[in-house]
Amino acid sequence: MPGLLQFSDPHLLADPGGYCRGRPSMTSLVHGLRQALVQIDRRPDLLLITGDLCQDESWGGYRRLLDALDQFEALQQVPLALTPGNHDHLALLRAALGRRAVIAPAALNCGGWTLLLLSTHRSGCVAGSLDPRQLAWLERQLAAARQPVVLALHHPPVPIGDPGLDPIALQDSGPLLQCLQQAPVLKAVLFGHVHQHWQGELPRAGGGPPIPLWACPSSLAPFAAVQPCPLGHSDWPGGRWLTLQDSAEVVSTLLRWSPLESA
């Protein structure tokens, strides 16, 4: 069964020793990757990072991601999928990482599953948006899919119940949600932006099991949680491990590790 390792919101900087939100971005990412690989105890089939890759939106910041991955033999040949966030620069992201990563909007195969990547980045805005051309592309992808689908984006497509974060989620998400609710092949929606574990459900238009919605914690620093952490560590950085089952179901495992300064 394919396994997908999700990280989010590393907020890298051009300075490899630089700090963001009071923590060293580069070494926090390396520390998190090391802890995650120990916890899952296998080579992931795909590494997904759902946005806010680079806090200072610099070429050097994006190259730090490659520097981090190069430290792990287990990740050398693992496909890398990226969705840009509000703290990203699309042109530099593509220039720096385009040869190594699949960057949204895109579709890629993962062991009998399809991963669809959306870009909700809007230049100069913290909140997300989805342009009509991408929505039309998504509709075509879902209609043509002959295997189960997981969708990934940076901004939450629904409110999570945080009065500070909900106004900067995906704006005008109604058409997207309607599209998703009508797609029987869609099995899960993954996102970042909120720096915390969160899970919800999206009902399907024709009934049946709802679509799971999962937010990934930041690998750098958390925001105040609106839901209890199943592991009891809402103040720790983390990630998510997703097993893509032969039964066309997605099994999610929350990953947490102690912050670098107390590790």
Side-chain angles (χ1 to χ4, degrees):
M1 294 176 291
L4 188 160
L5 178 60
Q6 183 189 6
F7 269 50
S8 200
D9 300 85
H11 293 272
L12 294 167
L13 298 160
D15 178 2
Y19 278 65
C20 180
R21 302 189 182 277
R23 293 181 179 174
S25 296
M26 171 72 171
T27 50
S28 290
L29 176 60
V30 172
H31 173 67
L33 289 169
R34 182 176 296 112
Q35 296 299 314
L37 289 171
V38 168
Q39 290 182 38
I40 65 176
D41 195 27
R42 58 167 281 192
R43 179 191 294 265
D45 295 287
L46 187 141
L47 174 61
L48 167 69
I49 306 179
T50 43
D52 281 0
L53 303 163
C54 184
Q55 174 71 20
D56 58 7
E57 301 182 19
S58 66
W59 170 276
Y62 291 117
R63 299 300 295 185
R64 296 292 83 76
L65 175 58
L66 297 182
D67 294 342
L69 297 181
D70 284 345
Q71 298 188 36
F72 298 94
E73 184 178 356
L75 298 176
Q76 294 298 307
Q77 304 300 321
V78 171
L80 175 63
L82 306 174
T83 67
N86 46 289
H87 286 289
D88 281 308
H89 187 291
L90 292 184
L92 288 176
L93 168 60
R94 291 189 177 280
L97 299 175
R99 292 188 178 184
R100 172 67 175 86
V102 177
I103 301 170
L108 64 159
N109 184 69
C110 186
W113 285 67
T114 296
L115 176 63
L116 296 179
L117 308 174
L118 290 181
S119 173
T120 55
H121 171 91
R122 184 178 179 185
S123 183
C125 293
V126 178
S129 67
L130 190 68
D131 65 77
R133 290 177 298 176
Q134 245 193 117
L135 181 60
W137 171 84
L138 175 64
E139 291 172 341
R140 293 193 300 270
Q141 291 290 327
L142 291 171
R146 296 295 177 264
Q147 54 190 20
V149 172
V150 173
L151 177 71
L153 66 166
H154 177 67
H155 292 86
V158 297
I160 69 164
D162 186 299
L165 293 171
D166 288 344
I168 58 171
L170 182 65
Q171 305 297 289
D172 303 318
S173 61
L176 171 63
L177 295 177
Q178 184 177 14
C179 169
L180 302 183
Q181 289 176 299
Q182 296 173 347
V185 295
L186 181 64
K187 304 303 178 182
V189 177
L190 313 175
F191 54 92
H193 191 56
V194 298
H195 286 229
Q196 61 188 280
H197 160 78
W198 183 89
Q199 61 185 39
E201 295 178 339
L202 184 66
R204 297 186 186 272
I211 303 164
L213 309 174
W214 284 303
C216 185
S218 168
S219 61
L220 177 65
F223 292 160
V226 300
Q227 291 182 354
C229 173
L231 302 178
H233 292 294
S234 61
D235 56 338
W236 284 9
R240 195 172 289 282
W241 174 244
L242 300 123
T243 306
L244 311 182
Q245 305 282 315
D246 295 338
S247 61
E249 297 176 313
V250 181
V251 175
S252 169
T253 302
L254 179 64
L255 308 176
R256 293 282 195 186
W257 48 84
S258 59
L260 188 64
E261 59 266 27
S262 60

